[in-house]
Amino acid sequence: GSILSEKKQQLMSEGFLIRLTATIVHLKAYEDYLGKTILFNDLTIEWHNKYITFLRNHYTCKRVLNAGDKKTVGLGNNSVALETRKIIRELNQATREKINNNLDYQKFKAKPQPSENIFLTKEEVGKILDLDLTNNPELVSEQERFSISYNFLLRFNDSLKVNIKNVFIENGVPYFKMITHKTSTPVTIPINKRNYEIISRKDFKFVSHANNTSNARLAKLGELAGVDAPVTITELRNGNHIQTVYKKYELISSHTARRSAATNMY
């Protein structure tokens, strides 16, 4: 509640602080791997090289799919780059507060790789939104979240803030208005009939849960809708480009709604 963003001189957003918890998990896993506590003075270039090698080759994470948890050894190149950026940002703060005086971290490198991300066509989006979920009531809320996120081009964290308070009527047309979570930008968007009916329900509010839970449910929706075309993704792991063929529904995430809407509008 007291740390300011270096660039904007505003309080760190809740979303950013939540993302830092993943970094803490990774660092604790590395401490267990080393069998020692990591201190500020340990954070040399050599330490960073060994740490990213650990993340790429030894750290075990889970990718949640509809078929269950699939364990993956090693983070992708972009995840490693993101971890480096977060560590640099926090060390900048620690240095400003005179907690840290080891400046080796300023030489840490974070090079992301252009990522391959899917989008859904209008037809594929329609298949998901038109699914009859009588036998899968636990997926209804996620289907509604996907519908609204697609209409409003929302990021996951913004979808958690959607409720009737964000709606106003002007000249008989309903609009959705909010300040975005990531960029603090005010947006106003017209609401189509389907989503106005969803958002107008009494005390309507999306259930708050982890993003990976949402992704698992979206993958299940995609599978039920038959969005299963083969998709080849090239990933950089352990210094090698690995090609993996997925069924398209396996790659659907909460951000797919935003990306698909933008692509289809374009």
Side-chain angles (χ1 to χ4, degrees):
S2 60
I3 298 176
L4 295 178
S5 163
E6 184 177 8
K7 182 183 295 185
K8 298 182 179 180
Q9 287 299 297
Q10 296 175 342
L11 289 177
M12 293 291 189
S13 70
E14 180 183 355
F16 177 78
L17 296 176
I18 290 173
R19 289 194 294 275
L20 281 181
T21 61
T23 301
I24 294 172
V25 169
H26 296 153
L27 287 170
K28 287 186 179 296
Y30 191 47
E31 285 187 331
D32 292 341
Y33 180 79
L34 295 175
K36 60 171 290 188
T37 300
I38 299 170
L39 305 175
F40 282 115
N41 286 338
D42 295 328
L43 306 183
T44 62
I45 294 294
E46 181 182 7
W47 175 90
H48 182 250
N49 289 337
K50 290 181 178 179
Y51 178 56
I52 62 177
T53 297
F54 164 77
L55 292 178
R56 285 174 172 153
N57 301 329
H58 302 290
Y59 180 74
T60 302
C61 57
K62 287 184 177 181
R63 183 173 183 209
V64 182
L65 299 176
N66 65 296
D69 291 342
K70 179 184 290 186
K71 289 186 177 181
T72 302
V73 176
L75 295 182
N77 194 60
N78 288 345
S79 295
V80 171
L82 177 61
E83 288 303 297
T84 298
R85 291 198 299 272
K86 287 190 288 185
I87 288 174
I88 290 172
R89 181 176 292 193
E90 292 313 296
L91 287 174
N92 278 333
Q93 179 70 25
T95 302
R96 287 194 295 272
E97 295 185 10
K98 302 186 185 308
I99 298 171
N100 170 59
N101 57 14
N102 174 11
L103 302 183
D104 282 9
Y105 75 89
Q106 295 177 350
K107 299 177 184 177
F108 292 177
K109 301 295 183 182
K111 295 183 179 180
Q113 173 195 15
S115 58
E116 295 183 66
N117 296 300
I118 65 164
F119 79 97
L120 301 179
T121 65
K122 293 180 181 179
E123 291 73 23
E124 289 170 330
V125 170
K127 287 181 179 180
I128 291 175
L129 298 185
D130 292 337
L131 275 174
D132 181 354
L133 297 176
T134 303
N135 297 325
N136 297 276
E138 74 282 1
L139 299 178
V140 171
S141 179
E142 206 58 54
Q143 184 187 49
E144 293 174 340
R145 186 204 305 275
F146 184 83
S147 178
I148 287 178
S149 296
Y150 182 80
N151 186 179
F152 301 153
L153 284 80
L154 295 182
R155 298 178 180 88
F156 177 75
N157 285 331
D158 287 329
S159 75
L160 298 178
K161 298 191 292 183
V162 173
N163 59 58
I164 197 64
K165 295 178 182 178
N166 301 119
V167 176
F168 69 94
I169 308 293
E170 187 173 292
N171 296 326
V173 179
Y175 290 89
F176 170 80
K177 185 176 183 178
M178 73 181 303
I179 296 177
T180 58
H181 185 92
K182 182 176 181 179
T183 61
S184 299
T185 303
V187 296
T188 302
I189 306 167
I191 310 174
N192 65 26
K193 183 179 178 180
R194 177 201 293 265
N195 291 297
Y196 186 64
E197 290 175 353
I198 294 173
I199 205 172
S200 296
R201 292 177 189 154
K202 184 178 179 181
D203 297 328
F204 176 83
K205 187 176 181 181
F206 281 123
V207 176
S208 178
H209 51 61
N211 200 344
N212 62 351
T213 300
S214 177
N215 292 343
R217 292 175 179 176
L218 285 171
K220 183 63 177 179
L221 286 170
E223 182 183 20
L224 292 172
V227 182
D228 55 7
V231 178
T232 301
I233 298 293
T234 302
E235 300 169 296
L236 182 63
R237 290 192 177 275
N238 306 334
N240 299 311
H241 287 92
I242 306 298
Q243 287 191 323
T244 306
V245 179
Y246 296 95
K247 292 182 178 179
K248 195 171 187 178
Y249 66 79
E250 293 180 311
L251 300 171
I252 298 174
S253 69
S254 58
H255 204 69
T256 303
R258 176 176 167 84
R259 185 180 302 112
S260 299
T263 304
N264 290 331
M265 289 171 65
Y266 176 81

